Coordinates of all heavy atoms in Angstrom, one line a residue:
M1 N 108.2 88.0 74.4 CA 109.6 87.7 74.4 C 110.1 87.6 75.9 O 109.9 88.6 76.6 CB 110.4 88.7 73.6 CG 111.3 88.0 72.7 SD 112.7 88.9 72.2 CE 112.2 90.6 72.1
N2 N 110.8 86.5 76.2 CA 111.2 86.4 77.6 C 112.7 86.6 77.7 O 113.5 85.7 77.8 CB 110.8 85.0 78.1 CG 110.6 85.1 79.6 OD1 110.8 86.1 80.2 ND2 110.1 84.0 80.2
T3 N 113.2 87.8 77.7 CA 114.6 88.1 77.8 C 115.1 87.9 79.2 O 114.3 87.9 80.1 CB 114.8 89.6 77.3 OG1 114.2 90.4 78.3 CG2 114.3 89.9 76.0
P4 N 116.4 87.8 79.4 CA 116.9 87.6 80.7 C 116.5 88.8 81.6 O 116.3 88.7 82.8 CB 118.4 87.6 80.5 CG 118.6 87.1 79.1 CD 117.4 87.6 78.4
K5 N 116.4 90.0 81.0 CA 116.1 91.2 81.8 C 114.7 91.0 82.4 O 114.5 91.4 83.6 CB 116.2 92.4 80.9 CG 116.4 93.7 81.8 CD 116.7 94.9 80.9 CE 116.8 96.1 81.8 NZ 116.6 97.3 81.1
K6 N 113.8 90.5 81.6 CA 112.4 90.4 82.2 C 112.4 89.4 83.3 O 111.6 89.5 84.3 CB 111.5 89.9 81.0 CG 110.9 91.1 80.3 CD 109.7 90.7 79.5 CE 109.1 91.9 78.7 NZ 108.3 91.5 77.6
K7 N 113.2 88.3 83.2 CA 113.2 87.3 84.2 C 113.7 87.9 85.5 O 113.2 87.6 86.6 CB 114.2 86.2 83.8 CG 113.4 84.9 83.3 CD 114.3 83.7 83.2 CE 113.6 82.6 82.6 NZ 114.5 81.7 81.9
K8 N 114.7 88.8 85.4 CA 115.3 89.4 86.6 C 114.2 90.3 87.3 O 114.0 90.3 88.5 CB 116.5 90.3 86.2 CG 117.4 90.5 87.3 CD 118.7 91.3 86.8 CE 119.5 91.7 88.0 NZ 120.5 92.7 87.5
T9 N 113.4 91.0 86.5 CA 112.4 91.8 87.0 C 111.4 91.0 87.8 O 110.9 91.3 88.9 CB 111.7 92.6 85.9 OG1 112.6 93.3 85.1 CG2 110.7 93.6 86.5
L10 N 111.0 89.9 87.2 CA 110.1 89.0 87.8 C 110.6 88.5 89.2 O 109.9 88.5 90.2 CB 109.8 87.8 86.9 CG 108.8 86.7 87.5 CD1 107.4 87.3 87.5 CD2 108.8 85.5 86.6
L11 N 111.9 88.1 89.2 CA 112.5 87.7 90.4 C 112.5 88.7 91.5 O 112.1 88.5 92.6 CB 114.0 87.3 90.2 CG 114.3 85.8 89.9 CD1 115.7 85.6 89.7 CD2 113.8 85.0 91.0
I12 N 112.8 90.0 91.1 CA 112.7 91.1 92.0 C 111.3 91.2 92.6 O 111.1 91.4 93.8 CB 113.2 92.4 91.4 CG1 114.7 92.2 91.1 CG2 112.9 93.6 92.3 CD1 115.3 93.4 90.3
N13 N 110.3 91.1 91.7 CA 108.9 91.3 92.2 C 108.6 90.2 93.1 O 107.9 90.4 94.2 CB 108.0 91.3 91.0 CG 108.0 92.6 90.3 OD1 108.3 93.6 90.9 ND2 107.7 92.6 89.0
V14 N 109.0 88.9 92.8 CA 108.7 87.8 93.7 C 109.4 88.0 95.1 O 108.7 87.9 96.1 CB 109.1 86.5 93.1 CG1 109.0 85.4 94.1 CG2 108.2 86.2 91.9
A15 N 110.6 88.5 95.0 CA 111.3 88.7 96.3 C 110.6 89.8 97.1 O 110.5 89.6 98.3 CB 112.8 89.1 96.0
F16 N 110.2 90.8 96.4 CA 109.5 91.9 97.1 C 108.2 91.3 97.8 O 108.0 91.6 99.0 CB 109.1 93.0 96.1 CG 108.2 94.0 96.7 CD1 108.8 95.0 97.5 CD2 106.8 94.0 96.5 CE1 108.0 96.0 98.1 CE2 106.0 95.0 97.1 CZ 106.6 96.0 97.9
L17 N 107.5 90.5 97.1 CA 106.2 89.9 97.7 C 106.6 89.1 98.9 O 105.9 89.1 100.0 CB 105.5 89.1 96.7 CG 104.7 89.9 95.7 CD1 104.0 89.0 94.7 CD2 103.6 90.7 96.4
V18 N 107.6 88.3 98.8 CA 108.0 87.4 99.9 C 108.4 88.2 101.1 O 107.9 88.0 102.3 CB 109.2 86.5 99.5 CG1 109.8 85.8 100.7 CG2 108.7 85.5 98.5
I19 N 109.2 89.3 100.9 CA 109.6 90.1 102.0 C 108.4 90.8 102.6 O 108.2 90.9 103.9 CB 110.6 91.2 101.5 CG1 111.9 90.4 101.2 CG2 110.9 92.2 102.6 CD1 112.9 91.3 100.5
A20 N 107.5 91.3 101.8 CA 106.3 92.0 102.3 C 105.5 91.1 103.2 O 105.0 91.4 104.2 CB 105.5 92.5 101.1
A21 N 105.3 89.8 102.7 CA 104.6 88.8 103.4 C 105.2 88.6 104.8 O 104.6 88.4 105.8 CB 104.4 87.6 102.6
A22 N 106.6 88.5 104.8 CA 107.3 88.2 106.0 C 107.1 89.3 107.0 O 106.8 89.1 108.2 CB 108.8 88.0 105.7
I23 N 107.2 90.6 106.5 CA 107.0 91.7 107.4 C 105.6 91.7 108.0 O 105.4 92.0 109.2 CB 107.3 93.0 106.7 CG1 108.8 93.1 106.4 CG2 106.9 94.2 107.5 CD1 109.2 94.3 105.5
L24 N 104.6 91.5 107.2 CA 103.2 91.5 107.6 C 103.0 90.4 108.7 O 102.4 90.7 109.7 CB 102.3 91.2 106.4 CG 100.8 91.4 106.7 CD1 100.5 92.8 107.0 CD2 100.0 91.0 105.5
T25 N 103.5 89.2 108.4 CA 103.4 88.1 109.4 C 104.0 88.6 110.7 O 103.5 88.4 111.8 CB 104.1 86.9 108.9 OG1 103.7 86.6 107.6 CG2 103.8 85.7 109.8
F26 N 105.2 89.2 110.6 CA 105.9 89.6 111.8 C 105.0 90.6 112.6 O 104.8 90.5 113.8 CB 107.2 90.3 111.4 CG 108.0 90.9 112.6 CD1 108.7 90.2 113.5 CD2 107.9 92.3 112.7 CE1 109.3 90.8 114.6 CE2 108.6 92.9 113.8 CZ 109.3 92.1 114.7
L27 N 104.5 91.6 111.9 CA 103.7 92.6 112.6 C 102.4 92.1 113.2 O 102.0 92.5 114.3 CB 103.3 93.7 111.6 CG 104.4 94.7 111.1 CD1 103.9 95.7 110.1 CD2 104.9 95.4 112.4
L28 N 101.8 91.1 112.5 CA 100.6 90.5 113.1 C 100.9 89.7 114.3 O 100.0 89.6 115.2 CB 99.9 89.7 112.0 CG 99.3 90.5 110.9 CD1 98.7 89.6 109.8 CD2 98.2 91.3 111.4
N29 N 102.1 89.1 114.4 CA 102.4 88.2 115.5 C 103.0 89.0 116.6 O 102.9 88.6 117.8 CB 103.3 87.1 115.0 CG 102.6 86.1 114.2 OD1 101.4 85.8 114.5 ND2 103.2 85.5 113.2
A30 N 103.8 90.0 116.3 CA 104.7 90.6 117.3 C 104.0 91.2 118.5 O 104.4 90.9 119.6 CB 105.6 91.6 116.6
P31 N 103.1 92.2 118.4 CA 102.7 93.0 119.5 C 102.1 92.1 120.6 O 101.1 91.5 120.4 CB 101.7 94.0 119.0 CG 101.7 93.8 117.5 CD 102.2 92.5 117.2
E32 N 102.7 92.1 121.7 CA 102.2 91.3 122.8 C 101.2 92.2 123.5 O 101.4 93.4 123.6 CB 103.3 91.0 123.8 CG 103.1 89.7 124.5 CD 104.3 89.4 125.4 OE1 105.4 89.1 124.8 OE2 104.2 89.4 126.6
E33 N 100.1 91.6 124.1 CA 99.1 92.4 124.7 C 99.6 92.8 126.1 O 99.7 92.0 127.0 CB 97.8 91.7 124.8 CG 96.7 92.6 124.5 CD 95.4 91.9 124.4 OE1 95.2 91.2 123.3 OE2 94.6 92.0 125.3
T34 N 99.8 94.1 126.3 CA 100.3 94.6 127.6 C 99.4 95.6 128.2 O 99.6 96.1 129.2 CB 101.7 95.2 127.4 OG1 101.6 96.2 126.4 CG2 102.7 94.2 127.0
T35 N 98.3 96.0 127.4 CA 97.4 97.0 127.9 C 96.8 96.6 129.2 O 96.3 95.5 129.3 CB 96.3 97.3 126.8 OG1 97.0 97.6 125.6 CG2 95.5 98.5 127.2
A36 N 96.7 97.5 130.1 CA 96.1 97.2 131.4 C 94.7 96.7 131.3 O 93.9 97.2 130.6 CB 96.1 98.5 132.3
K37 N 94.4 95.6 132.1 CA 93.1 95.0 132.1 C 92.2 95.9 133.0 O 92.7 96.6 133.9 CB 93.2 93.6 132.6 CG 94.0 92.7 131.7 CD 93.3 91.5 131.3 CE 93.9 90.8 130.1 NZ 94.9 89.8 130.5
L38 N 90.9 95.7 132.8 CA 90.0 96.4 133.7 C 90.2 95.9 135.1 O 90.2 94.7 135.3 CB 88.6 96.1 133.2 CG 87.4 96.9 133.9 CD1 87.5 98.4 133.6 CD2 86.1 96.4 133.4
P39 N 90.4 96.8 136.1 CA 90.7 96.3 137.4 C 89.5 95.6 138.1 O 88.4 96.0 137.7 CB 91.1 97.6 138.2 CG 91.3 98.6 137.2 CD 90.5 98.2 136.0
H40 N 89.8 94.7 139.0 CA 88.7 94.1 139.8 C 88.7 94.9 141.1 O 89.5 94.6 142.0 CB 89.0 92.6 140.1 CG 88.7 91.7 138.9 ND1 87.4 91.2 138.7 CD2 89.5 91.3 137.9 CE1 87.5 90.5 137.6 NE2 88.7 90.5 137.1
D41 N 87.9 95.9 141.2 CA 87.8 96.6 142.5 C 86.4 97.3 142.5 O 85.6 97.2 141.6 CB 88.9 97.6 142.7 CG 89.0 98.7 141.6 OD1 88.0 98.9 140.9 OD2 90.1 99.3 141.4
D42 N 86.1 98.0 143.6 CA 84.8 98.6 143.8 C 84.4 99.6 142.7 O 83.3 99.7 142.4 CB 84.7 99.3 145.2 CG 84.7 98.3 146.3 OD1 84.4 97.1 146.0 OD2 84.9 98.7 147.5
D43 N 85.4 100.2 142.1 CA 85.1 101.2 141.1 C 84.7 100.5 139.8 O 83.9 101.0 139.0 CB 86.3 102.1 140.8 CG 86.5 103.1 141.8 OD1 85.5 103.6 142.4 OD2 87.7 103.5 142.1
H44 N 85.2 99.3 139.6 CA 85.0 98.6 138.3 C 84.2 97.4 138.3 O 83.8 96.9 137.2 CB 86.4 98.3 137.7 CG 87.3 99.5 137.5 ND1 88.1 100.0 138.5 CD2 87.4 100.4 136.5 CE1 88.8 101.1 138.1 NE2 88.3 101.4 136.9
N45 N 84.0 96.8 139.4 CA 83.3 95.5 139.5 C 81.9 95.5 138.7 O 81.6 94.5 138.0 CB 83.0 95.1 140.9 CG 84.3 94.4 141.5 OD1 85.2 94.0 140.7 ND2 84.4 94.4 142.8
R46 N 81.2 96.6 138.8 CA 79.9 96.6 138.2 C 80.0 96.5 136.7 O 79.0 96.1 136.0 CB 79.1 97.9 138.6 CG 79.7 99.2 138.1 CD 79.1 100.4 138.7 NE 79.8 101.6 138.5 CZ 79.4 102.7 137.9 NH1 78.2 102.7 137.4 NH2 80.2 103.7 137.8
F47 N 81.1 96.8 136.1 CA 81.2 96.8 134.6 C 81.4 95.4 134.0 O 81.2 95.2 132.9 CB 82.4 97.7 134.2 CG 82.2 99.1 134.6 CD1 83.1 99.7 135.4 CD2 81.1 99.8 134.1 CE1 83.0 101.0 135.8 CE2 81.0 101.2 134.5 CZ 81.9 101.8 135.3
F48 N 81.8 94.4 134.9 CA 82.0 93.1 134.4 C 80.7 92.4 133.9 O 80.7 91.6 133.0 CB 82.7 92.2 135.4 CG 84.2 92.6 135.5 CD1 84.6 93.6 136.4 CD2 85.1 92.0 134.7 CE1 85.9 93.9 136.5 CE2 86.5 92.3 134.8 CZ 86.9 93.3 135.7
A49 N 79.6 92.8 134.5 CA 78.3 92.2 134.2 C 77.6 92.9 133.0 O 76.7 92.4 132.5 CB 77.4 92.2 135.4
M50 N 78.1 94.1 132.7 CA 77.4 94.9 131.6 C 77.8 94.5 130.2 O 78.9 94.0 130.0 CB 77.7 96.3 131.8 CG 77.1 97.0 133.0 SD 77.5 98.7 132.9 CE 76.9 99.3 134.5
K51 N 76.9 95.0 129.3 CA 77.3 94.9 127.9 C 78.5 95.9 127.7 O 78.5 97.0 128.3 CB 76.2 95.3 127.0 CG 75.1 94.2 127.0 CD 74.7 93.9 125.5 CE 73.4 93.2 125.4 NZ 73.3 91.9 126.1
K52 N 79.4 95.5 126.8 CA 80.6 96.3 126.6 C 80.3 97.8 126.3 O 80.9 98.7 126.8 CB 81.4 95.8 125.5 CG 82.5 94.8 125.9 CD 83.4 94.6 124.7 CE 84.3 93.4 124.9 NZ 85.2 93.1 123.8
K53 N 79.3 97.9 125.4 CA 79.0 99.3 124.9 C 78.4 100.2 126.0 O 78.8 101.3 126.2 CB 78.0 99.2 123.8 CG 78.3 100.2 122.7 CD 77.4 99.9 121.5 CE 77.4 101.0 120.5 NZ 76.5 100.8 119.4
A54 N 77.5 99.6 126.8 CA 76.9 100.3 127.9 C 78.0 100.7 128.9 O 78.0 101.8 129.5 CB 75.8 99.5 128.5
A55 N 78.8 99.7 129.3 CA 79.8 99.9 130.3 C 80.8 101.0 129.8 O 81.2 101.9 130.6 CB 80.6 98.6 130.5
G56 N 81.2 101.0 128.6 CA 82.2 101.9 128.0 C 81.8 103.3 128.2 O 82.6 104.2 128.3
K57 N 80.5 103.6 128.1 CA 80.0 105.0 128.2 C 80.2 105.5 129.6 O 80.2 106.7 129.8 CB 78.5 105.0 127.9 CG 78.2 104.8 126.4 CD 76.9 105.3 126.0 CE 76.6 105.1 124.5 NZ 75.6 104.1 124.3
L58 N 80.3 104.7 130.6 CA 80.4 105.1 132.0 C 81.8 105.4 132.5 O 82.0 106.0 133.5 CB 79.7 104.1 132.9 CG 78.2 103.8 132.5 CD1 77.7 102.7 133.3 CD2 77.4 105.1 132.7
C59 N 82.8 104.9 131.7 CA 84.2 105.1 132.1 C 84.5 106.6 132.3 O 85.3 106.9 133.2 CB 85.1 104.5 131.1 SG 84.7 102.8 130.5
V60 N 83.9 107.4 131.5 CA 84.3 108.8 131.6 C 83.7 109.5 132.8 O 84.1 110.7 133.0 CB 83.8 109.6 130.3 CG1 84.6 109.1 129.1 CG2 82.3 109.3 130.1
E61 N 82.9 108.8 133.6 CA 82.6 109.4 134.9 C 83.8 109.7 135.7 O 83.9 110.7 136.5 CB 81.8 108.4 135.8 CG 80.3 108.4 135.4 CD 79.6 107.3 136.2 OE1 80.1 106.9 137.3 OE2 78.6 106.8 135.8
C62 N 84.8 108.9 135.6 CA 86.1 109.1 136.4 C 87.3 109.3 135.5 O 88.2 110.0 136.0 CB 86.3 107.8 137.2 SG 84.9 107.5 138.3
H63 N 87.3 108.8 134.3 CA 88.6 108.9 133.5 C 88.5 110.0 132.5 O 88.5 109.8 131.3 CB 88.8 107.6 132.8 CG 89.1 106.4 133.8 ND1 90.3 106.4 134.5 CD2 88.4 105.3 134.1 CE1 90.3 105.3 135.2 NE2 89.1 104.6 135.0
T64 N 88.4 111.2 133.1 CA 88.5 112.4 132.3 C 89.5 113.4 133.0 O 89.8 113.1 134.1 CB 87.1 113.2 132.2 OG1 86.6 113.4 133.5 CG2 86.1 112.4 131.3
P65 N 89.9 114.4 132.3 CA 90.8 115.3 132.9 C 90.3 115.9 134.3 O 91.1 116.2 135.2 CB 91.0 116.5 131.9 CG 90.7 115.8 130.6 CD 89.7 114.8 130.9
E66 N 89.0 116.0 134.4 CA 88.4 116.5 135.7 C 88.1 115.4 136.6 O 87.8 115.6 137.8 CB 87.1 117.3 135.4 CG 87.2 118.4 134.4 CD 87.3 118.0 133.0 OE1 86.5 117.0 132.6 OE2 88.0 118.5 132.2
G67 N 88.2 114.1 136.2 CA 87.8 113.0 137.0 C 88.8 112.6 138.0 O 89.8 113.2 138.2
V68 N 88.4 111.5 138.8 CA 89.3 111.1 139.9 C 90.6 110.4 139.4 O 91.6 110.4 140.0 CB 88.6 110.1 140.9 CG1 87.5 110.8 141.6 CG2 88.1 108.9 140.1
Y69 N 90.5 109.9 138.1 CA 91.7 109.2 137.6 C 91.8 109.5 136.1 O 91.4 108.7 135.2 CB 91.6 107.7 137.8 CG 92.9 106.9 137.7 CD1 93.7 106.7 138.8 CD2 93.3 106.4 136.4 CE1 94.9 106.1 138.7 CE2 94.5 105.7 136.3 CZ 95.3 105.5 137.5 OH 96.5 104.8 137.4
P70 N 92.4 110.7 135.8 CA 92.5 111.1 134.4 C 93.4 110.2 133.6 O 94.2 109.5 134.2 CB 93.2 112.5 134.5 CG 93.1 112.9 135.9 CD 93.0 111.7 136.7
L71 N 93.1 110.1 132.3 CA 94.0 109.3 131.4 C 95.3 109.9 131.3 O 95.5 111.1 131.4 CB 93.3 109.1 130.1 CG 91.9 108.5 130.1 CD1 91.4 108.4 128.6 CD2 92.0 107.1 130.6
P72 N 96.4 109.1 131.1 CA 97.7 109.6 130.8 C 97.6 110.5 129.6 O 96.8 110.3 128.7 CB 98.5 108.4 130.5 CG 97.7 107.2 130.9 CD 96.3 107.6 131.0
E73 N 98.5 111.5 129.5 CA 98.5 112.4 128.4 C 98.7 111.8 127.0 O 98.2 112.2 126.0 CB 99.5 113.6 128.6 CG 98.8 114.8 129.1 CD 99.7 115.9 129.4 OE1 100.7 116.1 128.7 OE2 99.4 116.7 130.4
D74 N 99.5 110.7 127.1 CA 99.9 110.1 125.8 C 98.9 108.9 125.5 O 99.3 108.0 124.8 CB 101.3 109.6 125.8 CG 101.6 108.7 127.0 OD1 100.7 108.6 127.9 OD2 102.6 108.0 127.0
H75 N 97.7 109.0 126.1 CA 96.8 107.9 125.9 C 96.4 107.8 124.4 O 96.1 108.8 123.8 CB 95.6 108.1 126.8 CG 94.7 106.9 126.8 ND1 93.8 106.6 125.9 CD2 94.6 105.8 127.7 CE1 93.2 105.5 126.2 NE2 93.7 105.0 127.3
P76 N 96.3 106.6 123.9 CA 95.9 106.5 122.5 C 94.4 106.9 122.3 O 93.7 107.0 123.3 CB 96.1 105.0 122.2 CG 96.2 104.3 123.5 CD 96.7 105.3 124.5
P77 N 93.9 107.0 121.1 CA 92.5 107.3 120.8 C 91.6 106.5 121.7 O 91.8 105.3 121.8 CB 92.3 107.0 119.4 CG 93.7 107.0 118.8 CD 94.6 106.7 119.8
K78 N 90.6 107.1 122.3 CA 90.0 106.5 123.4 C 88.5 106.2 123.3 O 87.8 106.2 124.3 CB 90.3 107.3 124.7 CG 89.9 108.7 124.5 CD 90.2 109.4 125.8 CE 89.6 110.8 125.8 NZ 90.4 111.9 125.3
Y79 N 88.0 106.0 122.1 CA 86.6 105.5 122.1 C 86.6 104.0 122.3 O 87.6 103.3 122.0 CB 85.9 106.0 120.8 CG 86.3 105.1 119.6 CD1 85.3 104.3 119.0 CD2 87.5 105.1 119.1 CE1 85.6 103.6 117.9 CE2 87.9 104.4 118.0 CZ 86.9 103.6 117.4 OH 87.2 102.8 116.3
R80 N 85.6 103.5 122.9 CA 85.5 102.0 123.2 C 86.6 101.5 124.0 O 87.4 100.7 123.7 CB 85.5 101.2 121.8 CG 84.2 101.6 121.0 CD 83.6 100.4 120.4 NE 84.5 99.8 119.4 CZ 84.6 98.5 119.1 NH1 83.7 97.7 119.7 NH2 85.4 98.1 118.2
C81 N 86.5 101.9 125.3 CA 87.6 101.6 126.3 C 87.8 100.1 126.4 O 89.0 99.7 126.4 CB 87.1 102.1 127.7 SG 86.4 103.7 127.7
L82 N 86.7 99.3 126.4 CA 86.9 97.9 126.7 C 87.4 97.1 125.5 O 87.7 95.9 125.6 CB 85.6 97.3 127.1 CG 85.1 97.9 128.5 CD1 83.7 97.6 128.8 CD2 86.0 97.5 129.6
F83 N 87.5 97.8 124.3 CA 88.1 97.1 123.2 C 89.6 96.9 123.5 O 90.2 95.8 123.1 CB 88.0 98.0 122.0 CG 88.5 97.4 120.7 CD1 87.9 96.4 120.0 CD2 89.8 97.9 120.2 CE1 88.4 95.9 118.9 CE2 90.3 97.3 119.0 CZ 89.6 96.3 118.4
C84 N 90.2 97.8 124.2 CA 91.7 97.6 124.5 C 91.9 97.1 126.0 O 92.7 96.3 126.2 CB 92.4 98.9 124.3 SG 92.3 99.5 122.6
H85 N 91.1 97.7 126.9 CA 91.2 97.3 128.3 C 90.3 96.1 128.6 O 89.1 96.3 128.9 CB 90.9 98.4 129.2 CG 91.9 99.6 129.0 ND1 93.2 99.6 129.4 CD2 91.7 100.8 128.4 CE1 93.8 100.7 129.1 NE2 92.9 101.4 128.5
K86 N 90.8 94.9 128.4 CA 90.0 93.7 128.4 C 89.5 93.4 129.8 O 90.1 93.7 130.8 CB 90.8 92.5 127.9 CG 91.3 92.7 126.5 CD 90.3 92.4 125.4 CE 91.0 92.2 124.1 NZ 90.5 93.1 123.1
R87 N 88.4 92.7 129.8 CA 87.9 92.2 131.1 C 88.2 90.7 131.1 O 88.1 90.0 130.2 CB 86.4 92.4 131.2 CG 85.9 93.8 131.0 CD 84.4 93.9 131.1 NE 83.7 93.4 129.9 CZ 82.4 93.6 129.7 NH1 81.7 94.2 130.6 NH2 81.9 93.1 128.7
D88 N 88.6 90.3 132.3 CA 88.8 88.8 132.5 C 88.6 88.4 133.9 O 88.4 89.2 134.8 CB 90.1 88.3 131.9 CG 91.3 88.8 132.7 OD1 91.1 89.6 133.6 OD2 92.4 88.4 132.3
Ligands
HEC101 C1 83.9 105.4 139.9 C2 85.1 105.9 139.2 C3 85.6 105.0 138.0 C4 84.9 104.5 136.9 C5 83.4 104.7 136.6 C6 85.8 103.8 136.1 N1 87.1 103.8 136.7 FE1 88.8 103.0 136.0 N2 89.8 103.6 137.6 C7 89.3 104.4 138.6 C8 90.4 104.6 139.6 C9 90.2 105.4 140.9 C10 91.5 103.9 139.1 C11 92.9 103.8 139.8 C12 92.9 102.8 140.9 C13 92.7 101.4 140.3 O1 93.5 100.9 139.6 O2 91.5 100.9 140.5 C14 91.2 103.3 137.9 C15 92.0 102.6 137.1 C16 91.7 102.1 135.8 C17 92.6 101.4 134.9 C18 94.1 101.2 135.2 C19 94.3 99.9 135.8 C20 95.8 99.6 136.0 O3 96.1 98.4 136.1 O4 96.6 100.5 135.9 C21 92.0 101.1 133.8 C22 92.5 100.3 132.6 C23 90.6 101.5 134.0 N3 90.5 102.1 135.2 C24 89.6 101.4 133.0 C25 88.3 101.7 133.2 C26 87.3 101.5 132.3 C27 87.5 100.8 130.9 C28 86.1 102.0 132.8 C29 84.7 101.9 132.2 C30 84.2 100.5 131.9 C31 86.4 102.6 134.1 N4 87.8 102.4 134.3 C32 85.5 103.2 134.9 C33 88.0 104.8 138.7 C34 87.0 104.6 137.9
HEC102 C1 93.2 101.9 121.3 C2 93.3 101.2 122.6 C3 92.8 101.9 123.8 C4 91.5 102.4 124.0 C5 90.4 102.4 123.1 C6 91.5 102.9 125.4 N1 92.7 102.7 126.0 FE1 93.3 103.2 127.8 N2 95.2 102.7 127.5 C7 95.7 102.1 126.3 C8 97.1 102.0 126.4 C9 98.0 101.3 125.4 C10 97.5 102.5 127.7 C11 98.9 102.7 128.3 C12 99.5 101.3 128.6 C13 98.8 100.7 129.8 O1 97.8 100.1 129.7 O2 99.3 100.9 130.9 C14 96.3 103.0 128.3 C15 96.2 103.5 129.6 C16 95.0 103.8 130.3 C17 94.9 104.1 131.7 C18 96.1 104.3 132.7 C19 96.5 102.9 133.1 C20 97.5 103.1 134.3 O3 98.2 102.1 134.5 O4 97.5 104.1 135.0 C21 93.6 104.2 132.0 C22 93.0 104.6 133.3 C23 92.9 104.0 130.8 N3 93.8 103.7 129.8 C24 91.5 104.1 130.7 C25 90.8 104.1 129.5 C26 89.4 104.5 129.3 C27 88.5 105.0 130.4 C28 89.1 104.4 128.0 C29 87.8 104.8 127.3 C30 87.4 106.2 127.4 C31 90.3 103.8 127.3 N4 91.3 103.7 128.2 C32 90.4 103.5 126.0 C33 94.9 101.7 125.3 C34 93.6 102.1 125.1

């Protein structure tokens, strides 16, 4: 039986889906990439030629709390450095 009440429920569900899709699209498009790129300097030049995984293991030579350039305290989870800090 298709009462008016059921139609209304269907409409609400459709509206919900449309809004959810809009929010998802917004989230997927919104974040602009602002993460610092791997610097081109004597400390980092050797990493441009390496495989990402091999290079990533060596970052912690310097980027640890005891290293010459510790990560900021609010740094996000930090495995696979080059996944976020792109090389170009
Ligand atoms: C030999 C020491 C050393 C190693 C190894 C090293 N870094 Fe660095 N890194 C530094 C120093 C010193 C700075 C700060 C000065 C600069 O920007 O070069 C820095 C800065 C950075 C920055 C910030 C750049 C900016 O624009 O603010 C990023 C990102 C970075 N390193 C990523 C990495 C990654 C990823 C690796 C591994 C592939 C790595 N570093 C390995 C010494 C090192
Ligand atoms: C999930 C993404 C992500 C991963 C993985 C990651 N970082 Fe970061 N890193 C960031 C963000 C975001 C910032 C702060 C914004 C910026 O880039 O200035 C940051 C900041 C830094 C900075 C300071 C930049 C500056 O301007 O002083 C360094 C150095 C750095 N990261 C090195 C590393 C190293 C080394 C690794 C691997 C051990 C690593 N990051 C892994 C996202 C990431």
Side-chain angles (χ1 to χ4, degrees):
M1 230 206 324
N2 211 353
T3 63
K5 200 172 179 201
K6 272 197 180 160
K7 258 194 187 152
K8 203 173 168 195
T9 309
L10 180 70
L11 265 180
I12 290 172
N13 282 333
V14 169
F16 174 78
L17 281 179
V18 169
I19 291 169
I23 292 173
L24 189 65
T25 309
F26 173 77
L27 286 177
L28 288 175
N29 286 324
E32 209 176 297
E33 219 172 286
T34 55
T35 307
K37 297 233 164 90
L38 189 65
H40 284 273
D41 58 22
D42 287 343
D43 284 330
H44 301 92
N45 279 341
R46 63 190 166 122
F47 299 118
F48 285 88
M50 286 187 189
K51 289 229 193 306
K52 268 195 196 176
K53 218 171 167 185
K57 289 201 179 112
L58 303 172
C59 311
V60 291
E61 277 176 23
C62 302
H63 295 291
T64 53
E66 304 78 38
V68 295
Y69 198 90
L71 298 180
E73 258 178 37
D74 57 350
H75 191 278
K78 51 180 193 272
Y79 78 114
R80 296 222 293 154
C81 316
L82 296 168
F83 182 76
C84 298
H85 299 285
K86 303 275 196 237
R87 303 182 287 190
D88 66 356

